[in-house]
Amino acid sequence: MSLEDLYRQVILDHYRSPRNQGHIEGCDAHGEGHNPLCGDEIFLDLAIGDDTVIDVAISGQGCSISQASASMMSEAIKGKTLVEVDDLIHRFKVMMNVEQGDDGLDPARPGAVLGDLEALQGVRKFPVRIKCASLPWTTLEEALATREG
Ligand code: ZN
């Protein structure tokens, strides 16, 4: 199996069986993201305690890339501290070529593997799709900013 096929399989798996779907009653942070170019919608609830993401819930609808990215993000940030989440957001953007810096994909960097999220790097070849893949992450940033503001 080629790497591209593997990536496609990971994305389809998250799209068909999205993780952490639902809502959190009385959540600590909430974000809503829309990508009118594609019709993607992401609704994000976060439960935060001790500067740690205790729980994540995602709802919404859209293309396989946006929904798979949201599912992967929910798995990646659950149980992480807010500092670690900020680092993940940055590294994801670097991987998608939206930001400059170290994307942590260097296997020599300890604890820096993005896991399933790496499957989305194939999307970089399709500029229109970068917005789909990034939508959950910009929604996450807004949710955290709203909470702090
Ligand atoms: Zn989309």
Side-chain angles (χ1 to χ4, degrees), residues 93-114:
K93 285 179 166 180
V94 171
M95 183 179 82
M96 300 309 291
N97 292 333
V98 179
E99 252 176 49
Q100 299 290 308
D102 173 13
D103 61 7
L105 293 178
D106 177 0
R109 186 180 149 160
V113 179
L114 286 170

Side-chain angles (χ1 to χ4, degrees), residues 35 37-40 62-67 128-129 131-133:
N35 175 17
L37 286 176
C38 183
D40 305 319
C63 69
S64 57
I65 300 293
S66 66
Q67 302 305 306
V128 176
R129 290 291 185 205
K131 273 209 185 309
C132 302

Side-chain angles (χ1 to χ4, degrees), residues 30-99:
H30 175 75
E32 301 188 4
H34 302 274
N35 175 17
L37 286 176
C38 183
D40 305 319
E41 279 183 338
I42 304 280
F43 303 102
L44 171 70
D45 288 351
L46 298 172
I48 298 168
D50 286 337
D51 287 332
T52 300
V53 175
I54 296 166
D55 202 6
V56 190
I58 307 257
S59 56
Q61 55 188 0
C63 69
S64 57
I65 300 293
S66 66
Q67 302 305 306
S69 180
S71 170
M72 292 177 194
M73 181 188 79
S74 73
E75 279 200 318
I77 65 174
K78 200 169 177 174
K80 296 282 197 310
T81 66
L82 295 179
V83 172
E84 289 169 332
V85 168
D86 275 348
D87 186 45
L88 263 177
I89 292 171
H90 172 66
R91 274 166 31 214
F92 182 81
K93 285 179 166 180
V94 171
M95 183 179 82
M96 300 309 291
N97 292 333
V98 179
E99 252 176 49

